[in-house]
Amino acid sequence: MKNILLPTDFSDNSWKAISYALELLKDAECTFYLMHSYEPQVAAPSTAVTSKRANSIIMESMKNEAISELNRLKKQIDALPKNENHTFKTSIINDYFTSAVKAKVKEHSIDAVILGTKGASGLKEVTLGSNTAGLIGKLTCPIIAVPSNVVFNDINEIGFAVDYSIKSYTNGLSLLKALAEHFEAQVSVVHILKDKALTPEKASSKEKLIAFLNPVPTHFYQLTDVSVAKGTRIFSESRQLDMMCVIAKKHNFFEKLFNKSQSKSISHHAKVPLIIFNEASF
């Protein structure tokens, strides 16, 4: 049984992410937790007394609207072809988005959080929305960020950008291996090489990755004389990947993919969902 968290703001974008999740995991026995969070209202000190009642009314209105929207969403899902493998549970939380997601992940032992991102209009990139970006590096389970214009197809090839700094891949990449095995997909590993050869430590990490992914068909690629962000984009576009994977790290590699100067975006094919693993889970 897999436990999947589907945060929603009831937008078309989040519905497309939910639809993608249901297709991706259509053959898996899953419990999907549909969650909506709305932020607490904070009154200024000078207006605390007069605002208390007003805030209470606002919060009650937001809650009622969320209940109505969540019921509508559940009916929308019920209208889809019945899947006996899938169970749905709903919840509404009065808390900040990141805190609400973290609490649900812990409460239900969530295996993955799947949510939408906003596709940058006219650009071949996926711009992580503030909600998605706020979760990066804060969850032990993987995040699957789904672009708004994605169309689900069978997974034939999954990209995985690495820097070979991970010492053990045993548990952290279980989702990647499970998807590759289920869809009989190839995993294409790309490393942006700065030096002429891998250090002994990185070579050891690569061997451990090979051992972990076995027997999944795995191919390794190296790019040189290119930035990490550009190299990842070129690799993803040229191979027309169905998914791309990265590991969220506090320093070096991941910050080069997701940083403020790049508006927390990864420049890769707009139709490619991104699986974000947290270094802390390795």
Side-chain angles (χ1 to χ4, degrees):
M1 173 70 73
K2 294 184 179 296
N3 295 320
I4 307 298
L5 183 63
L6 300 174
T8 178
D9 59 1
F10 309 119
S11 65
D12 288 341
N13 187 49
S14 65
W15 169 248
K16 289 178 180 179
I18 291 170
S19 300
Y20 183 90
L22 301 186
E23 282 293 320
L24 179 69
L25 299 167
K26 65 182 179 181
D27 297 323
E29 188 177 351
C30 297
T31 297
F32 292 99
Y33 293 88
L34 300 165
M35 184 207 80
H36 175 74
S37 65
Y38 59 102
E39 296 186 358
Q41 298 294 305
V42 180
S46 59
T47 60
V49 176
T50 57
S51 295
K52 185 175 181 180
R53 177 171 173 74
N55 283 345
S56 178
I57 294 173
I58 291 172
M59 297 304 290
E60 187 66 22
S61 175
M62 292 175 68
K63 179 180 179 180
N64 290 336
E65 183 180 358
I67 291 173
S68 177
E69 286 295 310
L70 208 52
N71 288 335
R72 180 187 62 80
L73 177 59
K74 187 59 171 57
K75 290 180 180 179
Q76 194 171 357
I77 292 173
D78 290 340
L80 298 174
K82 181 72 173 178
N83 188 331
E84 297 296 340
N85 289 326
H86 294 171
T87 301
F88 297 90
K89 297 184 179 182
T90 62
S91 63
I92 297 171
I93 303 177
N94 178 209
D95 198 356
Y96 296 100
F97 179 78
T98 300
S99 298
V101 171
K102 289 174 68 176
K104 282 296 178 182
V105 167
K106 183 177 181 180
E107 179 183 357
H108 300 296
S109 299
I110 296 297
D111 296 297
V113 176
I114 304 178
L115 71 171
T117 64
K118 294 182 179 180
S121 178
L123 298 176
K124 289 186 177 181
E125 67 178 19
V126 173
T127 302
L128 296 181
S130 59
N131 282 346
T132 307
L135 295 177
I136 294 173
K138 297 178 180 177
L139 303 178
T140 53
C141 69
I143 300 167
I144 302 182
V146 183
S148 60
N149 58 349
V150 73
V151 176
F152 180 83
N153 291 303
D154 284 341
I155 308 298
N156 296 308
E157 185 174 359
I158 303 172
F160 181 29
V162 300
D163 67 353
Y164 294 129
S165 65
I166 303 299
K167 295 181 180 180
S168 174
Y169 297 91
T170 305
N171 297 315
L173 290 180
S174 58
L175 175 61
L176 168 58
K177 187 172 183 179
L179 288 173
E181 289 182 329
H182 176 74
F183 289 100
E184 298 182 349
Q186 168 184 310
V187 174
S188 296
V189 180
V190 60
H191 173 59
I192 311 300
L193 188 64
K194 291 184 177 180
D195 303 315
K196 293 182 179 180
L198 294 178
T199 64
E201 292 79 13
K202 290 187 176 183
S204 174
S205 177
K206 180 178 179 179
E207 290 303 316
K208 290 177 181 178
L209 178 59
I210 293 172
F212 171 75
L213 289 175
N214 184 57
V216 172
T218 307
H219 299 272
F220 291 82
Y221 302 87
Q222 291 184 169
L223 298 179
T224 58
D225 301 322
V226 66
S227 68
V228 172
K230 184 176 181 181
T232 303
R233 185 192 72 235
I234 292 171
F235 182 76
S236 180
E237 291 181 348
S238 65
R239 298 203 60 81
Q240 297 184 331
L241 300 174
D242 299 299
M243 280 185 148
M244 189 71 193
C245 303
V246 294
I247 298 174
K249 303 182 66 178
K250 293 182 179 180
H251 303 290
N252 301 326
F253 175 69
F254 194 75
E255 285 187 347
K256 293 177 182 178
L257 291 179
F258 296 91
N259 56 47
K260 292 181 180 180
S261 66
Q262 299 181 76
S263 302
K264 293 184 177 178
S265 68
I266 181 170
S267 297
H268 71 281
H269 199 283
K271 293 184 179 180
V272 178
L274 181 68
I275 303 180
I276 306 167
F277 297 100
N278 190 343
E279 182 184 24
S281 64
F282 289 84

